[in-house]
Amino acid sequence: MNSRNRTLTIDGIDVQLVRKRVKHLRLVVAPPDGRVRVSVPVFVPDDLVWLFLQGKLDWIRDKQVRFADYVGKVIPAYISGEQHYLFGQPFTLQIIETSGRQSVIKQADTLLMYVRSGNDANTRSKLLDNFYRNELKQQIPGLLELWQLRIGRKVMEWGIKKMKTRWGSCNITRQRIWLNLELAKRPLSALEYVLVHELVHLLERNHNRRFYALMDSYIPNWRQQKQLLNERCVKGEMV
Ligand SMILES: [Zn+2]
């Protein structure tokens, strides 16, 4: 049997390539951790495998996110004593019943969550999301002002969204960037890195040599930032 194994990295995804006496390309995203393997007929050249995988990236990511959801995700209960992160710092959640307005307030290393009696984890999760959104909204304008000046491009619009597979995105035509709500939990340097990545797309659309050279000049340690972002998290490929 003539078989040859190696690993390709395509758009941040490691793919184990196994050459076999098979008739067709066969792509598998395997449990439990979403490892990707492709069986390739001996006669199919590498560039065709590459093209095939390019066309399957969304499908692969979708599968991997499902595995991540299934395997390691701790579902918070939003109860007192639980730990939640804001800009890389741990905070202890404290639930306080109120008949007034529901809100989350940061006090020293505690997040005080004021809730009406009988409210469930789903409502609490939304309250925390609102808190995270507001925290991001306080940080982003300053960073944007600084980096728009450095990069020499401006966005027409920006926003915060829950995204499953991306830390950020940039619509070049509309000059609009989206940032992932999840960034509120990561260190501020990560938010800055993602924001700069998206702004650099206004200078260079593609992830090519010029793009990376620009990133090197603006954030010399961006590779480290990227690695930290994706370390404990399968979701988080950036586009
Ligand atoms: Zn990008």
Side-chain angles (χ1 to χ4, degrees):
M1 180 103 133
N2 175 17
S3 80
R4 190 157 51 97
N5 298 359
R6 62 195 181 95
T7 305
L8 291 176
T9 303
I10 177 162
D11 224 2
I13 297 172
D14 289 333
V15 181
Q16 196 195 7
L17 195 149
V18 185
R19 290 214 175 260
K20 279 184 174 176
R21 293 191 183 278
V22 288
K23 282 190 177 162
H24 305 285
L25 280 163
R26 184 163 173 262
L27 179 64
V28 177
V29 179
D33 52 1
R35 201 163 303 180
V36 187
R37 199 173 54 231
V38 61
S39 306
V40 183
V42 181
F43 58 86
V44 173
D46 275 4
D47 49 353
L48 271 185
V49 179
W50 191 265
L51 269 179
F52 169 77
L53 289 171
Q54 283 284 358
K56 294 285 185 187
L57 282 176
D58 282 349
W59 181 84
I60 292 171
R61 284 205 186 97
D62 188 51
K63 285 260 177 190
Q64 286 190 325
V65 166
R66 272 184 236 177
F67 280 125
D69 283 347
Y70 175 72
V71 182
K73 198 166 143 190
V74 180
I75 298 163
Y78 303 97
I79 52 175
S80 286
E82 203 170 65
Q83 206 166 62
H84 289 266
Y85 279 82
L86 173 67
F87 297 129
Q89 299 294 318
F91 285 79
T92 307
L93 190 65
Q94 192 182 335
I95 304 289
I96 301 162
E97 280 202 9
T98 179
S99 53
R101 192 172 163 267
Q102 305 197 103
S103 64
V104 178
I105 293 165
K106 184 175 58 175
Q107 195 176 82
D109 56 1
T110 305
L111 294 180
L112 305 172
M113 184 182 272
Y114 292 90
V115 298
R116 276 178 228 127
S117 76
N119 97 0
D120 58 6
N122 190 34
T123 317
R124 293 178 187 191
S125 140
K126 282 184 185 147
L127 277 172
L128 198 59
D129 280 353
N130 275 340
F131 169 77
Y132 280 138
R133 200 177 290 272
N134 285 331
E135 289 289 323
L136 280 172
K137 279 184 181 165
Q138 285 173 40
Q139 297 297 332
I140 293 169
L143 286 171
L144 260 181
E145 199 176 341
L146 175 78
W147 282 103
Q148 288 183 145
L149 208 64
R150 284 190 188 163
I151 289 171
R153 289 284 189 281
K154 277 196 165 190
V155 292
M156 298 294 288
E157 204 187 340
W158 60 272
I160 300 156
K161 262 211 295 200
K162 276 193 164 189
M163 291 183 265
K164 275 221 152 183
T165 58
R166 283 165 190 177
W167 288 110
S169 67
C170 179
N171 183 317
I172 294 158
T173 319
R174 294 189 177 165
Q175 293 170 282
R176 180 182 66 201
I177 62 172
W178 292 113
L179 297 162
N180 194 327
L181 181 64
E182 198 74 9
L183 284 164
K185 300 176 189 172
R186 304 309 184 103
L188 272 172
S189 57
L191 170 64
E192 186 169 32
Y193 154 62
V194 175
L195 186 137
V196 171
H197 177 115
E198 302 311 339
L199 282 177
V200 167
H201 274 309
L202 297 176
L203 295 172
E204 174 55 59
R205 174 183 293 266
N206 299 307
H207 293 147
N208 55 18
R209 200 172 283 196
R210 177 166 178 258
F211 182 90
Y212 295 125
L214 286 164
M215 284 304 293
D216 286 339
S217 73
Y218 293 128
I219 302 190
N221 76 342
W222 68 267
R223 284 182 180 82
Q224 196 187 337
Q225 297 292 346
K226 180 180 179 178
Q227 200 183 344
L228 283 173
L229 256 180
N230 294 329
E231 225 163 48
R232 277 175 293 169
C233 188
V234 172
K235 59 184 157 187
E237 270 309 301
M238 196 157 36
V239 172

